[in-house]
Amino acid sequence: MPPHLIVINADREYVPGAADPNGRFYARAVITRLDGRPVYKNFVMYQIEEGAKFDELQDALGDAEVRARTAINDGFPDF
């Protein structure tokens, strides 16, 4: 497997009218190559869009990691 770097960013959804902190967590990921070459076709990064929402931050981060590793293993499928 080529050397990849996975960067995961999590956020909390905003629930209008609810006291802070509010909402559940969701995460997205960006995959790049450590050597700077294109990851997929001529793209230097491959983005994994936000996924399901979770009550716990760690669950959202784990979900994004699994989806990113699946994309790598599947050869970066078109969505």
Side-chain angles (χ1 to χ4, degrees), residues 59-78:
D59 293 336
L61 295 172
D63 173 65
E65 180 182 5
V66 167
R67 290 183 294 120
R69 292 189 185 282
T70 299
I72 292 169
N73 292 334
D74 291 348
F76 302 99
D78 288 330

Side-chain angles (χ1 to χ4, degrees), residues 34-55:
L34 294 172
D35 59 11
R37 293 180 22 207
V39 173
Y40 175 69
K41 296 183 180 180
N42 63 336
F43 299 104
V44 294
M45 67 177 170
Y46 185 88
Q47 295 186 26
I48 304 294
E49 298 301 323
E50 66 184 56
K53 293 180 174 66
F54 296 88
D55 292 327

